Amino acid sequence: MPRTIRMIIEDQAPVTAPEQTNVADAARLMQQHGVGAVMVVRNDKLVGIITERDALYKVMAKRLDAESTRIADVMTLNPQTIHPDKPFEDALHIMHASSFRHVPVVEDGRPVGMVSARDA
């Protein structure tokens, strides 16, 4: 039986933040949870994703202030997502085809977890 995404994320609490969160706080969330991305939510629905690469390239490299820059200003809007009942191979295909390292797992518009290249 192929491994489903639900099996991979079953012990995972989704790491989310509201869009008005600043980049420094999002980076601290990533550090605390040992993840490379935070799912951005509005009214419990996924609206974007911010990755460590976004923080580095879109904030630090441009010498923006991480305390005053909101994640809404640097996040990827409407990221590609996957349903938890899909096989993990589908997530790997998305990552490979689109050069992503993280794919939010969403059920009924709500983030329930994240799969990453590290899960392979």
Side-chain angles (χ1 to χ4, degrees):
M1 181 174 120
R3 252 186 350 158
T4 64
I5 291 172
R6 194 178 300 277
M7 293 172 174
I8 293 168
I9 65 164
E10 65 187 345
D11 297 326
Q12 188 186 105
V15 181
T16 64
E19 56 197 329
Q20 61 271 19
T21 304
N22 68 45
V23 173
D25 286 342
R28 282 188 277 275
L29 261 180
M30 289 182 223
Q31 180 186 32
Q32 288 166 2
H33 292 276
V35 296
V38 172
M39 293 176 284
V40 184
V41 294
R42 181 188 312 136
N43 300 323
D44 294 328
K45 301 281 188 180
L46 182 75
V47 294
I49 183 174
I50 181 165
T51 67
E52 52 199 359
R53 184 171 277 189
D54 292 329
L56 190 62
Y57 292 5
K58 296 177 182 176
V59 181
M60 302 305 293
K62 293 182 178 179
R63 294 194 167 116
L64 298 177
D65 178 36
E67 296 286 345
S68 61
T69 303
R70 295 175 333 125
I71 56 178
D73 298 327
V74 294
M75 70 182 181
T76 299
L77 275 170
N78 304 315
Q80 197 162 357
T81 64
I82 195 159
H83 190 274
D85 293 329
K86 293 282 188 183
F88 181 60
E89 290 132 31
D90 289 8
L92 287 174
H93 177 73
I94 290 170
M95 287 183 235
H96 178 74
S98 304
S99 297
F100 298 146
R101 290 184 298 166
H102 302 90
V103 179
V105 182
V106 174
E107 194 166 25
D108 299 321
R110 298 183 191 290
V112 294
M114 176 99 67
V115 288
S116 72
R118 199 180 307 160
D119 292 315

